[in-house]
C-alpha cells in the first residue's frame, strides 16, 4: 500500500501536466476548488510539518553551510532573475499584473515538490527537506520585503497583509512538528498518505487557476510560457553553478539546483489572490510556474537518476570473473 501511494505521489509532474491541459478546455472541472486554495495550502504545509522533528533542526545546525547556500541562492538568485525577465520581456506592457505575478513567485521559498524531485533524481533528499524548511521560515520576512521592493512600482503592495498571508506557510508546519512530537503513533499512521494528499492539493490549485485564467493564457501564451521557462531554466542552471562555485560535491549541487529552480507556486497563488494589488491576473504566472518547474524538474530528475544508476552499476564487481584457484 505504501509503495502504491509513493508511486502515485512520484508521478506528480504527470498529474500537473494532464490536469493543466484539461483546465485549458474550460469545462468547469476545477474552478470549484478556488475557495479552498488557502486551506489547501495549509494542508500541504501541515503535511510537510509532520515529516519533521526537532532533531532535524539540531542536525542542520551541525552542518549549516549547505542549508545557508540553498536558502541564500533561493532569495538572491530567483527574485532578481524574475525582475530581469519580467522587464526584459516587457510583461508590464501586456498587463502589469503579469510582471508582478512572475516576480512574486520568484520571491517565494522552495516548494515541497522539490523534495519529491530530489528523491526521483537520487539527490540529497534530507538536504532538500532542510532547505525547504528553512527557506519557508525565512519567507515570513523575505518574501514580503522582496516583493514590496521589486513589485512596488508595478502594483500596489500591502506589506503588512503580505506578512500576515505568508504566515500560512509557517503556522501549519509548526503545528505538524508539534503533532508529531505529542501524538507520534497517530502521525505515523497518516504520514504515508501525506505526500499524495499534498500532490492532489497542488494539482487542484494549479488547475483551478489555469482554468479561470484560460482566456489570458491562450491569448498571451507565447510570452507567458517564455517568461516562466526562462525563469526556471536559468534558476536550475544558476543554482547548480552557485553551489559548484562554492565547492560542493555533485549531489549537493544537484539538490541546490532543484531547490532553487522549484518555487512554492501555491504560496504565490495564495498571495496573489488574497492581495488586491495583485489579483487573479497575477496568479496566472504563478500557476504556469508550477507546471513548468515540474517539467524542468522531471527532466533533471530523469537525467541525474540515470547518471547515478550508471555510476552505481560501474562500481559493482564483475561477477563473471572466475574465482582464483587455490594453488596449494
Amino acid at each position: 500500500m505504501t509503495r502504491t501511494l509513493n508511486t502515485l505521489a512520484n508521478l506528480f509532474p504527470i498529474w500537473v501536466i494532464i490536469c493543466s491541459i484539461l483546465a485549458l478546455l474550460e469545462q468547469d472541472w476545477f474552478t470549484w476548488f478556488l475557495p479552498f486554495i488557502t486551506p489547501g495550502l495549509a494542508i500541504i504545509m501541515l503535511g510537510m510539518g509532520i515529516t519533521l522533528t526537532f532533531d532535524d533542526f539540531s542536525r542542520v545546525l551541525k552542518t549549516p553551510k549547505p542549508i545557508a547556500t540553498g536558502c541564500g541562492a533561493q532569495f538572491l538568485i530567483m527574485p532578481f532573475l524574475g525582475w530581469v525577465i519580467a522587464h526584459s520581456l516587457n510583461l508590464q506592457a501586456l498587463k502589469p499584473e503579469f510582471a508582478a505575478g512572475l516576480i512574486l513567485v520568484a520571491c517565494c521559498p522552495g516548494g515541497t515538490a522539490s523534495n519529491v524531485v530530489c528523491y526521483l533524481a537520487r539527490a540529497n533528499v534530507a538536504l532538500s527537506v532542510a532547505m525547504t524548511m528553512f527557506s519557508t521560515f525565512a519567507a515570513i520576512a523575505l518574501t514580503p520585503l522582496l516583493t514590496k521592493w521589486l513589485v512596488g512600482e508595478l502594483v500596489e503592495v500591502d506589506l503588512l497583509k503580505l506578512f500576515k498571508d505568508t504566515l500560512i506557510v509557517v503556522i501549519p508546519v509548526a503545528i505538524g512538528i508539534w503533532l508529531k512530537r505529542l501524538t507520534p503513533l497517530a502521525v505515523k499512521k497518516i504520514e504515508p498518505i501525506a505526500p499524495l494528499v499534498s500532490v492532489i492539493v497542488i494539482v487542484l490549485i494549479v488547475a483551478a487557476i489555469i482554468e479561470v485564467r484560460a482566456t489570458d493564457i491562450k491569448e498571451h501564451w507565447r510570452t507567458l510560457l517564455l517568461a516562466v521557462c526562462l525563469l526556471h531554466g536559468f534558476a536550475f542552471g544558476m543554482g547548480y553553478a552557485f553551489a559548484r562555485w562554492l565547492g560542493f560535491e555533485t549531489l549537493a549541487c544537484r539538490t541546490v539546483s532543484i531547490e532553487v529552480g522549484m518555487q512554492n507556486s501555491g504560496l504565490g497563488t495564495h498571495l496573489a489572490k488574497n492581495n488586491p494589488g495583485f489579483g487573479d491576473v497575477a496568479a496566472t504566472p504563478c500557476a504556469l510556474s508550477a507546471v513548468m518547474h515540474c517539467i524542468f524538474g522531471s527532466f533533471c530528475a530523469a537525467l541525474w537518476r540515470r547518471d547515478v544508476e550508471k555510476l552505481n552499476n560501474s562500481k559493482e564487481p564483475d561477477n563473471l570473473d572466475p574465482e582464483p584457484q587455490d594453488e596449494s
Side-chain angles (χ1 to χ4, degrees):
M1 182 64 177
T2 301
R3 181 178 295 180
T4 301
L5 292 173
N6 286 336
T7 300
L8 291 173
N10 291 338
L11 291 174
F12 163 66
I14 295 176
W15 306 138
V16 170
I17 295 169
I18 291 174
C19 290
S20 298
I21 292 172
L22 292 175
L24 289 173
L25 300 178
E26 298 181 82
Q27 297 296 316
D28 290 329
W29 288 332
F30 302 102
T31 49
W32 62 269
F33 195 74
L34 289 172
F36 303 104
I37 287 178
T38 298
L41 185 60
I43 289 173
I44 293 171
M45 303 319 295
L46 180 66
M48 176 183 169
I50 64 174
T51 66
L52 302 172
T53 66
F54 289 101
D55 290 338
D56 294 326
F57 290 87
S58 62
R59 279 195 296 270
V60 166
L61 292 176
K62 294 177 182 177
T63 55
K65 187 177 178 182
I67 311 300
T69 298
C71 293
Q74 185 80 52
F75 291 110
L76 287 173
I77 293 174
M78 285 299 287
F80 298 102
L81 188 57
W83 185 90
V84 168
I85 291 171
H87 285 273
S88 297
L89 296 180
N90 201 20
L91 289 183
Q92 61 271 27
L94 295 178
K95 290 184 179 181
E97 294 86 354
F98 283 160
L102 186 76
I103 298 170
L104 172 63
V105 76
C107 292
C108 287
T112 53
S114 63
N115 309 145
V116 176
V117 170
C118 277
Y119 169 75
L120 296 176
R122 301 281 182 88
N124 191 328
V125 179
L127 178 60
S128 174
V129 171
M131 287 180 184
T132 301
M133 176 177 65
F134 274 85
S135 68
T136 296
F137 282 105
I140 301 174
L142 293 179
T143 294
L145 289 172
L146 287 167
T147 303
K148 174 69 174 178
W149 180 28
L150 298 173
V151 179
E153 63 181 21
L154 298 172
V155 297
E156 183 179 349
V157 179
D158 187 334
L159 185 60
L160 181 59
K161 193 170 191 320
L162 272 181
F163 274 121
K164 291 178 180 178
D165 289 337
T166 308
L167 283 174
I168 193 175
V169 302
V170 176
I171 294 174
V173 172
I175 292 173
I177 295 171
W178 278 104
L179 283 176
K180 186 164 187 175
R181 178 165 185 166
L182 297 175
T183 58
L185 294 179
V187 168
K188 190 174 182 179
K189 292 180 180 178
I190 65 173
E191 197 170 350
I193 68 169
L196 182 58
V197 171
S198 296
V199 164
I200 292 171
V201 173
I202 293 172
V203 169
L204 288 173
I205 290 174
V206 171
I209 293 298
I210 287 180
E211 188 166 85
V212 80
R213 304 306 309 171
T215 301
D216 274 340
I217 293 173
K218 291 174 183 177
E219 183 178 355
H220 304 293
W221 69 270
R222 292 180 181 84
T223 305
L224 290 174
L225 197 60
L226 177 61
V228 294
C229 283
L230 288 174
L231 177 68
H232 293 292
F234 276 113
F236 275 94
M238 293 174 71
Y240 188 96
F242 184 68
R244 180 62 77 188
W245 177 62
L246 290 176
F248 288 104
E249 48 88 19
T250 300
L251 289 185
C253 292
R254 292 174 178 179
T255 304
V256 172
S257 171
I258 293 169
E259 196 65 26
V260 174
M262 301 189 72
Q263 305 302 99
N264 191 336
S265 303
L267 174 62
T269 299
H270 163 76
L271 294 177
K273 286 185 62 61
N274 284 275
N275 286 268
F278 292 91
D280 287 343
V281 177
T284 306
C286 299
L288 287 176
S289 164
V291 179
M292 294 315 301
H293 77 207
C294 286
I295 293 175
F296 277 95
S298 299
F299 174 79
C300 289
L303 187 67
W304 289 336
R305 184 185 184 92
R306 185 178 61 179
D307 183 54
V308 170
E309 289 173 348
K310 283 183 178 179
L311 182 62
N312 290 340
N313 290 336
S314 68
K315 291 181 179 179
E316 291 180 0
D318 190 350
N319 296 325
L320 297 179
D321 289 339
E323 294 183 2
Q325 299 295 320
D326 188 354
E327 298 178 349
S328 60

